[in-house]
Amino acid sequence: MNIVVCVKYVPDATADRKFEDDNTVDRVGVDGLLSELDEYAVEQALQIKDKQADDTEVTVLSVGPENATDAVRKALQMGADKGVHVVDDAIAGSDALATSLVLAEAIKKIPHDLVVCGMASTDGGMGVVPAMLSERLGVPGVTLGSEISVEGETVKIRRDGDASTDTIEGSLPLVLSVTDQSGEARYPSFKGIMAAKKKPVETWSLSDLGVDAGSVGAGAAWSVVESTDARPPRTAGEIVTDEDGSGAKALVDFLASKKFI
Amino acid sequence: MAQTPLALFDTDSLLDEEERAIRDTVRQFVDAKIKPELADWYEAGRIPARDLARELGALGVLGMHLDGYGCAGTTATAYGLACLELEAGDSGLRSLVSVQGSLAMFALWKHGSEEQKQEWLPRMATGEAIGCFGLTEPDFGSNPAGMRTRARRDGDDWVLDGTKMWITNGSVADVAVVWAQTDDGVRGFVVPTGTPGFSAPEIKHKMSLRASVTSELVLDGVRLPDSARLPEARGLSGPLSCLTEARFGIIFGALGAARDCLETTLAYAAEREIFDKPLAAFQLTQAKLADMTLELGKGMLLALHLGRLKDAGRLRPEQVSLGKLNNVREAIAIARECRTILGAAGITLEYPLMRHANNLESVLTYEGTSEVHQLVIGQALTGQGAFR
């Protein structure tokens, strides 16, 4: 089986994140890393590979700036077999539609039975790319899996919703996205770290993919960020005073309204 | 913009990508899996050594700088960086790894027969088997040549009698590398801990290294075949070569404890207000922070220099003494000074300062006391041995 995992290089969420003058996220001046939510995708791909016990190959694919190679390399350290990095100045500022176009064209050039994505990026956080990819590739999209199993040509997931738990299955080829509940991502082992140096990483440009530069980038985006404001400081919150025994209900109502319970 | 102490020295620029990746992996592991548990382990004086060994084995930490037999085969510098991150968690955790990798596994790797290596090293690399190293005795620490543990020939076998003391991992070990006097000088033996006559009672009531297993090894007529003898070690140079390995890891490790103390203290001093301004804004606090940062950074530069020498195959034992003497001495000074900035909060397990300071009391005297390292350096400088 051939598995492609899509990963994003994102600004480190624990560091200061900034915007450029054009209101795009500054992805060069800050430390970046493999999006934590994509680590779960890499993990599931590697678990499928381990269970297949055949010549299953995992290719990690990233569209991003020069240093996005770091995200590819991290996935290779975790155990992926090879990497593809699509980098092109024209891609900067792309929205999800354009990103999914570039990803889809790259995936078409890589042998693939299964495409695995994280549930969303930790910076943009839209979570729409997996569905867009399935549309662009013309294959089923089995998304937001918190438990994944592969039997022959069938991929089965459990999707935990607010009101119900769904079991969804689809036949290969398909696009799968996994949540942060799908299983803790492994640490790269030292052998994995050392082996990753020797694993192949190909670098492709838009012309390699036959994608017109005019169809991607900030200029082609369907939505524009007009301004950004820093999040205001945390407010004091709401204090529930229990005078007549209704406090517990007020707490429960609050938690339910926020979907904590 | 506030910088971390080591960022001020930009020591990261002295590391290659692979070393940074190994360092980051161990740091993430320690932050996520170890630090949240430490206070409880320390208070209880117990660690889940078997589980820890397996997790560390899965990462590739155990015997990481050795080649073959399932070991990762990293550089010595990468091993040092891993020790630093482990000891930023706790000296006990680093001790577990030092004893497994640099004492027990290294002894087998360097002095063992092919059969001994095949039998033990792959299982020790994964953490399935835990090793310990028995050299020190109740009455012989800095003077191991006087050891009373004896191995005598009995037909084709050897019979070992004696007591070893302060043995890390002893009670949880599957195999002990034990050094004993023979008619042919000091020899090493590979002792499966299930061998009749072997026992390893744990040492309790410790005020230091409480998140570490420390034991006595009792050898009461332990009968072993000649194939249990380490064929390539003859005389005290055998165990001493292993100690040099472990001391190398401590040069980096001690800095991990110091860094954790200093970073904790910087964060505390920024938050804690006294006389209506942060503690960090007082000159006396800043003088302490600056001096500690200087020592931490100097120690790091020394450690990295010694690491590069070791990777080039040029590190001499007296240079290891320079590093161990300086970095442990400075680390304990930093831990104590940091405690003065936290005041009473610094004595609790809520913060790591007193735990690190207490641990470093052991690190100061194990693997060669500071005094022994001074004498090693003194001998290198003067040509005069002043040990006895």
Side-chain angles (χ1 to χ4, degrees):
Chain A
M1 187 194 297
N2 287 304
I3 305 176
V4 176
V5 189
C6 302
V7 302
K8 187 173 182 184
Y9 176 78
V10 298
D12 186 348
T14 61
D16 282 342
R17 287 183 283 186
K18 296 188 212 67
F19 290 93
E20 305 255 30
D21 293 340
D22 63 357
N23 289 317
T24 58
V25 177
D26 177 5
R27 295 172 70 182
V28 177
V30 294
D31 282 344
L33 39 69
L34 168 61
S35 171
E36 189 192 331
L37 290 172
D38 292 341
E39 286 188 13
Y40 296 99
V42 176
E43 176 63 34
Q44 287 307 314
L46 295 174
Q47 284 192 20
I48 292 167
K49 176 185 159 95
D50 292 346
K51 284 193 194 111
Q52 296 288 314
D54 55 13
D55 53 359
T56 292
E57 213 170 44
V58 175
T59 304
V60 53
L61 166 66
S62 188
V63 174
E66 208 65 47
N67 8 5
T69 318
D70 287 358
V72 174
R73 194 63 67 189
K74 173 77 183 282
L76 296 177
Q77 290 169 352
M78 289 171 71
D81 299 293
K82 52 191 189 183
V84 174
H85 177 198
V86 182
V87 55
D88 199 306
D89 288 345
I91 297 174
S94 289
D95 62 1
L97 277 165
T99 303
S100 68
L101 173 68
V102 178
L103 283 170
E105 291 306 316
I107 290 167
K108 286 177 190 169
K109 285 182 53 127
I110 307 167
H112 64 276
D113 304 292
L114 176 63
V115 177
V116 190
C117 304
M119 61 192 285
S121 61
T122 55
D123 57 347
M126 294 179 70
V128 294
V129 166
M132 288 178 171
L133 274 182
S134 75
E135 189 64 28
R136 290 193 185 278
L137 295 169
V139 300
V142 177
T143 56
L144 300 175
S146 56
E147 198 178 277
I148 291 93
S149 63
V150 179
E151 302 265 338
E153 298 288 300
T154 305
V155 176
K156 191 189 284 188
I157 65 159
R158 196 189 73 222
R159 183 192 289 162
D160 297 322
D162 288 341
S164 67
T165 295
D166 308 329
T167 304
I168 300 161
E169 59 179 62
S171 297
L172 295 175
L174 58 73
V175 174
L176 164 71
S177 81
V178 305
T179 71
D180 55 357
Q181 301 303 306
S182 56
E184 196 179 348
R186 67 193 65 188
Y187 293 98
S189 74
F190 296 173
K191 280 185 194 162
I193 289 171
M194 293 165 70
K197 281 193 300 192
K198 300 187 193 84
K199 292 177 178 174
V201 179
E202 290 192 36
T203 306
W204 295 346
S205 66
L206 286 179
S207 61
D208 292 329
L209 301 179
V211 173
D212 173 24
S215 58
V216 300
W222 285 66
S223 62
V224 173
V225 179
E226 299 202 324
S227 67
T228 59
D229 290 303
R231 179 187 290 189
R234 224 179 255 255
T235 52
E238 188 180 335
I239 294 172
V240 174
T241 313
D242 187 7
E243 282 166 348
D244 55 359
S246 66
K249 185 174 181 311
L251 278 177
V252 170
D253 287 346
F254 172 80
L255 292 171
S257 74
K258 301 286 181 193
K259 293 192 173 169
F260 285 123
I261 53 173
Chain B
M1 181 64 198
Q3 295 183 59
T4 64
L6 288 175
L8 200 50
F9 282 81
D10 197 11
T11 46
D12 271 15
S13 66
L14 300 172
L15 309 179
D16 67 25
E17 185 189 327
E18 184 175 301
E19 290 163 345
R20 283 199 293 268
I22 288 173
R23 186 267 318 268
D24 290 348
T25 298
V26 182
R27 185 181 296 181
Q28 283 161 16
F29 170 77
V30 169
D31 283 348
K33 306 277 183 183
I34 303 295
K35 283 190 174 173
E37 310 293 336
L38 267 175
D40 288 337
W41 292 345
Y42 211 84
E43 183 89 340
R46 267 200 303 273
I47 51 163
R50 293 232 153 250
D51 296 342
L52 282 174
R54 284 211 175 79
E55 290 187 66
L56 293 163
L59 283 181
V61 175
L62 305 175
M64 62 186 276
H65 61 309
L66 306 179
D67 275 321
Y69 307 98
C71 302
T74 69
T75 62
T77 304
Y79 168 62
L81 293 166
C83 286
L84 189 153
E85 297 302 331
L86 294 166
E87 197 150 356
D90 192 86
S91 303
L93 181 68
R94 201 267 307 136
S95 296
L96 187 161
V97 169
S98 289
V99 169
Q100 177 86 349
S102 282
L103 293 181
M105 289 178 76
F106 181 81
L108 285 155
W109 184 84
K110 169 119 177 167
H111 304 298
S113 66
E114 189 55 35
E115 293 72 27
Q116 290 167 338
K117 294 180 194 181
Q118 294 287 358
E119 183 180 359
W120 290 107
L121 289 178
R123 291 165 58 206
M124 294 173 82
T126 60
E128 186 196 327
I130 296 179
C132 68
F133 184 90
L135 175 65
T136 299
E137 299 191 354
D139 295 323
F140 298 91
S142 297
N143 53 341
M147 70 174 70
R148 293 206 186 99
T149 298
R150 220 180 141 73
R152 62 179 167 83
R153 281 319 286 255
D154 185 47
D156 289 338
D157 292 342
W158 293 89
V159 177
L160 273 65
D161 285 287
T163 308
K164 298 291 179 181
M165 197 65 173
W166 313 119
I167 308 303
T168 298
N169 297 352
S171 309
V172 293
D174 302 283
V175 60
V177 172
V178 174
W179 302 92
Q181 296 281 7
T182 71
D183 292 338
D184 189 21
V186 170
R187 305 300 297 251
F189 295 87
V190 182
V191 186
T193 53
T195 311
F198 180 95
S199 60
E202 191 169 352
I203 296 170
K204 294 289 188 186
H205 306 300
K206 291 180 295 178
M207 299 292 282
S208 174
L209 292 182
R210 290 183 56 77
S212 174
V213 176
T214 314
S215 315
E216 185 182 349
L217 304 184
V218 181
L219 301 131
D220 183 10
V222 173
R223 179 174 290 272
L224 298 166
D226 190 44
S227 62
R229 184 173 47 87
L230 290 172
E232 307 301 329
R234 190 184 295 265
L236 263 187
S237 65
L240 293 183
S241 68
C242 304
L243 294 181
T244 303
E245 284 294 302
R247 288 167 182 173
F248 172 78
I250 296 171
I251 295 171
F252 284 80
L255 298 176
R259 187 194 70 196
D260 192 46
C261 290
L262 190 47
E263 288 183 350
T264 301
T265 302
L266 281 162
Y268 183 90
E271 293 288 322
R272 166 79 173 171
E273 294 207 346
I274 183 164
F275 298 115
D276 300 324
K277 65 176 183 177
L279 196 46
F282 287 85
Q283 289 186 354
L284 284 179
T285 309
Q286 291 198 0
K288 290 179 182 179
L289 295 172
D291 287 349
M292 290 190 288
T293 295
L294 199 52
E295 290 308 330
L296 179 68
K298 282 153 67 180
M300 189 68 185
L301 292 171
L302 174 59
L304 287 171
H305 173 61
L306 296 176
R308 299 303 177 207
L309 286 178
K310 185 164 169 60
D311 282 323
R314 292 196 283 125
L315 184 65
R316 300 193 304 273
E318 59 267 34
Q319 293 173 316
V320 173
S321 289
L322 293 171
K324 204 250 174 193
L325 174 63
N326 183 74
N327 287 7
V328 179
R329 194 161 65 181
E330 296 306 330
I332 197 168
I334 288 172
R336 288 170 177 161
E337 186 87 317
C338 283
R339 215 287 297 167
T340 67
I341 296 178
L342 265 75
I347 74 159
T348 69
L349 278 169
E350 190 85 6
Y351 296 95
L353 309 181
M354 195 74 139
R355 178 167 56 78
H356 282 311
N358 277 9
N359 284 338
L360 288 166
E361 291 287 353
S362 295
V363 182
L364 194 64
T365 57
Y366 78 17
E367 300 289 346
T369 64
S370 287
E371 292 77 5
V372 162
H373 291 300
Q374 287 173 318
L375 293 173
V376 170
I377 295 165
Q379 184 177 32
L381 290 170
T382 65
Q384 309 268 1
F387 296 95
R388 55 174 81 210

